[in-house]
Each structure stands twice: as C-alpha cells, then as structure tokens.
Amino acid sequence: MAKKKSEKETKQSTVEQSFPESTQPVDYEKIFSNYRETFPMVQILDKDGNIVNEDIMPDLSDEQLVELMERMVWSRTLHERSIALARQGRLGFYAPTKGQEASQIASHFAFKKQDWLYPGYRDIPQLIQHGLPVYKGFLWSRGHVEGNEYPEDLHAIPPQIIIGAQYVQAMGNAVGQKRRGAEDEVTFTYTGDGGSSQGDTYEGMNFASRYKAPIVFFIQNNGYAISTPREKQTAAETLAQKAAAVGIPGVQVDGMDPLAVYAVSKQAREWAAAGNGPVLIETITSRMGAHSTSGDDPTKYRSEESFEYWEEREPLKRFRKFLTDKGLWSEEKEEKLIEEVKEEVKQAAKKADQAADMSIPELLGYMYENAPKNIQEQIEKYQAKESK
C-alpha cells in the first residue's frame, strides 16, 4: 500500500512545483523573439485558390467539399437578404457576416450535432446550421421572446450580446461535460478581437484549462472592435498567443481559407474530445462592411485600400476557384442555390411576421423570474393602460 504523504511533504511538493530550480542557461533572444514565429498562420489555399500546403489538406470527399461551399453561399445569401430585411424595418439588430463565411461556416462544419454552441451576436449562421430555424433567428433580432425558445435537440444558447461573456458560459458547460463523463461531445464558442480584450475571455479560458474541459475557443479577428483597430486594443502580436497564459494550445489560421479553418477546427475538436483540454483558435478574417445595421459607417475608420485588400482574399472567391478547377462547381449551380436560399429566407421572414406581438408587460415580465419592485410597478402601470 502506498504511503500517504504527510502535510509537510505535500507542502514541500507544492513549493517545488511553484519554484522549480533550473540550471539551464537563459536564452533572452528566444524569450523576446517575435511571437509570429511561434504562432505562424496556417494556410492551405492562397488568395487565388491554389493549394500551398498539401501536407495538411483535410480528408474531405468531393461531396463534402461541395456541401461546405453550399453552406458558405447560403450564409452569404442570408447576409444579403438580412441586410434588405433590416432596411425594410423587418429586423432589429443585425451584425453583418459578409467576409467571415470561412471563419464561421468552415469552423462549424468540423463539429457535430451533439456539440454545444455558445455564439456571439454575429454568429447567427452557425446557430442556424446547428439547427435553429431561420425564422427564430429573425425573431431574436427583433427582440421577440420566441426567438430565444429553442428545440430540445438544439445544443446551443441564444447569442450573447455582452462580448466575451459567452466564454465564461461555455466554460461552465464544458466543465459540466467533463464532470458527467460525456463522450465524443465538446463545447465551442466564438468571440471577436474586441471580445478577446475582455476579462471574461481570459477567465473562461483559464478555468477551462485548469479542469481540462473539452472546449474550443474561437477568436474571429476581423480587425476592428466596432471602429477600434485591433492594434489599438492590445500590444500582443497575435491573439493566438494569449493561449500561452493559460497553458493551452493556440493556433492562428487564415480565416478566409475554408480548408485551413476546417482542418484546424477538426483537429482542435479531436484534441478536446480526447480529454486533452481546451484549444484557442484565432481566425484572421474581415467583416467586409459595417459592424452592424445600427448606424456605423466603416468608411470613416477604414481605408479604401483595406477593403480592396480583403476583397481579393474573400473566402467564396477563393473556394469557388478551387472547386471550379476540380470540376465540382459552376456558375449555374451557384445561381440556382442562391435563388433557393432567397425563397427560404422569404418564407422564414413571413413566418416571423406571423408571430404574435409582445406587449410591454410581457416584455418586462420576461426579464426576471421574480420581478423587483420597480419592474413590477412598471408592469402594473402598463397593464392598467392596456385594460382601458
């Protein structure tokens, strides 16, 4: 029988772990070296759709490659129709997704139905691909309670408006998965470069790391937190390197390259599902427009050259060229798909329009399980007005 350690021996062991002695020479040049050398960007397709890294090509069949492209075209069309609906006053808050199709859709493509998705407010496409009916996505945008009522088999929560907060929520879910011994099931969550500057982001990653929770964290680095450039948020050369602070792997990937995003995401999922703990993935991408439909003008804080730069690298153009060269895609196929998606969105918008209007007392009533006095007074006030 193994001898139980005394309290003194346990304390000594803790001290040795905290202050390990080392006789190795210190290589200051290595310590202060450029982090971009430690966290190089993973890429498979260049901006012209040519393979530049055959060694890490994901094992996707022709059918799966086509399905991934179809999902990305679906997302772009959903974006364009959502912009139109917002201009018609039929949506509330909407965060554009044009340019982030590879970052969002190709990453989601690597996960499974049983995995839990914790999205931010720009991640409606992943939610719908995970099982949320389109009309409910529209109702969420309008602030309607029905947009937050999910099917029982949908492993996801409504989009988080507080940036970074989803990292803490997702961590809690992943720790729960670990405690109940869930097999082949992970959690994945998204925030942006702005969200990576929030304390919640670090806290979520740190706690998940400590308990080796099965979770993949995504930072979609689109260059701006609304209008604040990423270089004004942090001096870190990469956002992937923030993983080092909590002792987990960090990977930077070309977020405009669907194959690279999928390959890295799939490997990260396998790592987490195998019990190795979290992974942080930074996707270098671009929102090719405004932060939201709430009024910001990107031309006031972005140069014309920046739009041109990212337009040359946009994911659909890149992947379209790759698939066309393989004989798997055509302009006719894409146009037919776009028309089908437009009709799908049209019907979803009609269904959202049919949802019963919410009254102010109902809206206030959903805010708290037990309404505080000031809210209860407002409910009663509006109920009295409606009864007249």
Side-chain angles (χ1 to χ4, degrees):
M1 182 179 293
K3 180 182 177 182
K4 186 177 181 180
K5 283 188 177 182
S6 67
E7 183 178 350
K8 182 177 180 180
E9 288 174 325
T10 300
K11 288 182 178 178
Q12 180 62 32
S13 174
T14 301
V15 169
E16 290 171 353
Q17 290 177 29
S18 301
F19 303 97
E21 295 183 3
S22 175
T23 58
Q24 298 297 318
V26 178
D27 186 346
Y28 290 107
E29 184 176 351
K30 183 177 181 181
I31 291 174
F32 298 127
S33 65
N34 190 322
Y35 271 92
R36 293 193 184 278
E37 297 176 5
T38 308
F39 297 90
M41 186 174 69
V42 178
Q43 186 183 70
I44 294 176
L45 295 179
D46 66 13
K47 67 182 182 66
D48 299 314
N50 301 311
I51 298 176
V52 293
N53 195 342
E54 183 77 47
D55 294 341
I56 59 171
M57 273 287 290
D59 184 21
L60 289 171
S61 66
D62 288 349
E63 290 75 17
Q64 288 173 313
L65 290 171
V66 170
E67 181 183 356
L68 177 54
M69 181 61 175
E70 288 175 341
R71 292 190 184 193
M72 289 171 58
V73 171
W74 168 88
S75 182
R76 176 67 61 86
T77 308
L78 175 67
H79 157 80
E80 291 172 349
R81 300 314 301 159
S82 295
I83 290 289
L85 289 169
R87 288 171 178 165
Q88 295 167 12
R90 298 174 70 188
L91 287 187
F93 175 83
Y94 173 67
T97 59
K98 181 181 178 182
Q100 296 192 203
E101 292 86 2
S103 178
Q104 295 178 316
I105 300 300
S107 60
H108 177 270
F109 200 58
F111 290 85
K112 298 182 179 182
K113 180 74 172 176
Q114 65 263 31
D115 297 330
W116 280 85
L117 168 60
Y118 280 67
Y121 53 73
R122 202 178 304 278
D123 302 311
I124 302 298
Q126 300 99 296
L127 261 178
I128 295 173
Q129 288 294 329
H130 212 55
L132 183 70
V134 178
Y135 83 95
K136 282 187 175 286
F138 292 159
L139 287 174
W140 175 84
S141 171
R142 299 179 185 184
H144 197 290
V145 67
E146 193 176 336
N148 297 281
E149 296 173 347
Y150 284 10
E152 287 189 11
D153 63 343
L154 175 54
H155 287 190
I157 68 166
Q160 176 58 264
I161 290 292
I162 305 171
I163 61 171
Q166 61 270 37
Y167 266 42
V168 176
Q169 294 173 306
M171 170 276 296
N173 189 73
V175 170
Q177 289 171 313
K178 176 75 177 289
R179 287 178 61 85
R180 64 182 170 82
E183 295 184 6
D184 194 29
E185 181 184 308
V186 306
T187 300
F188 61 116
T189 184
Y190 297 82
T191 193
D193 48 290
S196 74
S197 297
Q198 295 291 110
D200 286 354
T201 298
Y202 172 79
E203 292 160 9
M205 291 194 299
N206 186 59
F207 206 89
S209 172
R210 165 61 184 84
Y211 291 98
K212 283 194 171 183
I215 183 169
V216 179
F217 297 103
F218 286 95
I219 297 175
Q220 297 188 86
N221 179 2
N222 63 26
Y224 295 88
I226 305 182
S227 60
T228 303
R230 170 246 184 274
E231 60 268 19
K232 290 189 177 181
Q233 298 176 48
T234 176
E237 292 193 43
T238 72
L239 301 182
Q241 74 195 58
K242 295 193 174 190
V246 297
I248 65 175
V251 186
Q252 186 185 79
V253 61
D254 181 349
M256 309 296 263
D257 175 356
L259 294 181
V261 171
Y262 172 80
V264 169
S265 301
K266 186 173 187 296
Q267 188 170 4
R269 187 201 179 277
E270 291 173 352
W271 170 275
N276 297 306
V279 179
L280 172 63
I281 298 174
E282 175 191 7
T283 63
I284 305 298
T285 185
S286 175
R287 58 171 166 85
M288 297 162 65
H291 168 74
S292 75
T293 54
S294 297
D296 73 296
D297 180 358
T299 63
K300 291 183 177 180
Y301 54 86
R302 293 182 62 175
S303 67
E304 185 63 32
E305 289 75 19
S306 77
F307 287 109
E308 293 173 355
Y309 176 88
W310 288 109
E311 187 68 38
E312 291 179 354
R313 291 160 175 76
E314 72 104 339
L316 266 67
K317 182 188 298 182
R318 187 183 298 197
F319 204 38
R320 184 184 296 119
K321 171 68 163 52
F322 171 73
L323 293 181
T324 301
D325 289 348
K326 288 175 67 68
L328 298 175
W329 198 254
S330 67
E331 183 178 347
E332 294 74 22
K333 183 180 182 66
E334 186 164 333
E335 289 178 352
K336 182 175 182 294
L337 176 59
I338 289 172
E339 291 306 313
E340 292 172 354
V341 178
K342 284 181 178 179
E343 181 60 26
E344 176 190 5
V345 172
K346 180 180 177 181
Q347 295 305 319
K350 283 184 177 181
K351 187 169 184 178
D353 290 341
Q354 293 167 3
D357 291 337
M358 293 177 62
S359 67
I360 294 177
E362 279 183 307
L363 182 63
L364 293 171
Y366 282 120
M367 292 174 64
Y368 297 93
E369 184 175 1
N370 297 302
K373 183 178 179 181
N374 65 320
I375 298 296
Q376 187 59 43
E377 288 175 350
Q378 293 179 58
I379 292 173
E380 293 170 0
K381 173 185 175 181
Y382 284 104
Q383 283 176 335
K385 283 185 176 183
E386 290 179 359
S387 64
K388 289 181 180 180

